[in-house]
Amino acid sequence: MRKIATEEAFSIPEIADALEEVAATPSLDSDYWLVDAIYGAESKSPLRSKLLDLEDERLAEMDANGVSMHLLSLTAPGVQMFDADTACGLAELANDRLAEVVRRHPDRFAGLATFAPHAPRRAAEEMARAIESLHLNGFIVNSHTNNEYLDNRKYWPILEAAEDLDRCVYIHPRGPSAGLVGPFRDYGLAGATWGYGIEVSTHALRLILSGVLDRFPRLQLCIGHMGEAIPFWLWRIDNRWRMSTVPQRGKPLELTPSEYFKRNFVITTSGQENPLALDYSIKTLGIDNVLWAIDHPYQPTAPAVSFMDNAPVTEEEREKLYHLNAERVFHII
Ligand code: 1DF
Ligand code: MN
């Protein structure tokens, strides 16, 4: 069975070096800890070289585990901690390199293009180039940029480009934004344990509740980690949205929150290998809305494969989870 993993991280030397510069100046940004741990001068983490490796150990590990393809994306926080000009240049470089490796291994790699949200017009141009000239498969964005979210009108050119190009935007985690991060600063909460999911689920709900999805009804979005807990919460979101003591603000919505979630979002299983959560998500969202992912190199490959090999689904459903849904959503041939 073809196995396409859909949240697989990579980097390029120029961006790793630029993040080493970021690590050299301690800051209050909630991604500083991660950047320092991976790219800091003192770092002994193997992650930097695993992120830079595409054609050696990565392909060998894919082969050893029967993984057909990585849908590659520039690792978090992408270019979103750099100033806008630097970010645009590095995004273009990363997309060029990504397209080259996909061209060398079209059956093993596909790619999500990156862009600099803080330069929205140039981002939209780069998005068009990434699809029309580089033939990449969609987009990745690492949640907030300078503590702002994509529902903000200044980012609408990005949403418009994704909708016009008919390509999905994967909203990947980064640490919580400045206004959200307070209580996450202790105990390592800002990372993947909890903060990443709260950051992305908040972002997704901003897109839903702002009415932006009435303006861009065909926008396709993807979130990882079994939907960042949103599937589990949908009933209550619908219920309280309708009846909340705290009034809804702004334009009335055309659909209920769960209807937007089912219409505009798909989820992946990155780093969530709980069969009950998978079963629940499939029953809540439908089998066509769930895609397999590993989250290489942050999660090991073998357990992600055995999780999906042993998932309590029919073989027809497993085909959808492992590759048919990814082929449809990300235009993978
Ligand atoms: C971690 C997790 C790092 C995920 C990631 O990229 C990442 C982590 C910097 O645990 O440090 O993509 N993740 O998606 O859960
Ligand atoms: Mn990830």
Side-chain angles (χ1 to χ4, degrees):
M1 191 179 296
R2 193 183 197 195
K3 298 177 179 173
I4 302 178
T6 55
E7 188 194 306
E8 313 314 320
F10 82 104
S11 192
I12 61 172
E14 291 84 349
I15 290 178
D17 290 348
L19 287 171
E20 191 172 332
E21 293 284 308
V22 171
T25 312
S27 81
L28 284 174
D29 190 297
S30 68
D31 282 312
Y32 177 79
W33 294 299
L34 171 104
V35 169
D36 187 45
I38 301 178
Y39 309 95
E42 314 275 85
S43 171
K44 293 188 177 64
S45 169
L47 285 167
R48 183 175 178 154
S49 63
K50 281 175 175 286
L51 288 161
L52 296 174
D53 162 57
L54 285 162
E55 294 171 273
D56 295 329
E57 283 171 36
R58 182 184 303 243
L59 278 176
E61 194 178 355
M62 289 164 66
D63 288 342
N65 291 281
V67 176
S68 318
M69 178 178 274
H70 274 191
L71 175 63
L72 297 167
S73 50
L74 179 65
T75 196
V79 298
Q80 291 164 243
M81 286 178 84
F82 309 131
D83 69 79
D85 251 8
T86 306
C88 287
L90 288 173
E92 289 158 23
L93 186 63
N95 292 339
D96 286 341
R97 296 276 172 77
L98 179 54
E100 282 165 25
V101 80
V102 170
R103 235 176 275 129
R104 283 200 294 278
H105 304 274
D107 52 340
R108 308 309 304 280
F109 295 128
L112 299 179
T114 196
F115 54 82
H118 33 337
R121 294 271 161 213
R122 200 163 154 191
E125 284 167 25
E126 178 59 9
M127 291 167 77
R129 186 184 78 96
I131 301 305
E132 289 161 0
S133 304
L134 301 180
H135 307 296
L136 293 172
N137 302 81
F139 309 104
I140 185 122
V141 65
N142 298 287
S143 200
H144 78 85
T145 306
N146 297 328
N147 310 306
E148 292 173 343
Y149 293 87
L150 293 172
D151 55 283
N152 188 315
R153 207 174 246 276
K154 77 165 81 156
Y155 299 119
W156 285 13
I158 291 165
L159 306 183
E160 188 171 26
E163 194 185 52
D164 286 351
L165 293 160
D166 187 32
R167 289 296 184 279
C168 185
V169 182
Y170 200 126
I171 305 179
H172 184 277
R174 61 178 294 189
S177 60
L180 186 60
V181 70
F184 293 82
R185 289 199 169 278
D186 302 312
Y187 318 129
L189 274 167
T193 310
W194 191 241
Y196 280 10
I198 297 300
E199 165 65 21
V200 174
S201 54
T202 303
H203 197 158
L205 283 167
R206 289 187 64 95
L207 289 168
I208 290 171
L209 297 179
S210 61
V212 151
L213 298 175
D214 291 329
R215 174 69 180 72
F216 302 104
R218 290 175 297 107
L219 183 62
Q220 301 160 65
L221 301 161
C222 178
I223 58 180
H225 315 101
M226 212 65 88
E228 313 288 12
I230 289 179
F232 197 76
W233 209 242
L234 274 181
W235 185 91
R236 182 163 170 78
I237 294 169
D238 278 351
N239 173 273
R240 286 293 94 192
W241 169 77
R242 221 188 306 275
M243 305 198 295
S244 179
T245 320
V246 179
Q248 308 300 316
R249 307 258 184 114
K251 208 162 114 338
L253 301 182
E254 291 173 13
L255 304 177
T256 64
S258 66
E259 286 169 338
Y260 291 106
F261 195 71
K262 290 172 197 170
R263 184 186 71 178
N264 294 93
F265 286 81
V266 296
I267 70 167
T268 80
T269 64
S270 54
Q272 272 283 24
E273 295 162 12
N274 179 339
L276 287 174
L278 175 67
D279 182 55
Y280 175 84
S281 298
I282 291 169
K283 285 175 177 153
T284 304
L285 305 177
I287 186 68
D288 295 326
N289 284 351
V290 183
L291 286 63
W292 180 62
I294 303 168
D295 205 10
H296 178 87
Y298 303 104
Q299 295 281 151
T301 297
V305 171
S306 76
F307 164 63
M308 195 48 73
D309 282 347
N310 296 307
V313 296
T314 67
E315 288 313 290
E316 207 177 6
E317 290 171 326
R318 209 181 317 280
E319 300 267 5
K320 289 190 170 190
L321 298 166
Y322 253 143
H323 70 102
L324 292 173
N325 291 340
E327 288 159 5
R328 181 190 82 245
V329 172
F330 295 110
H331 300 252
I332 294 168
I333 311 155

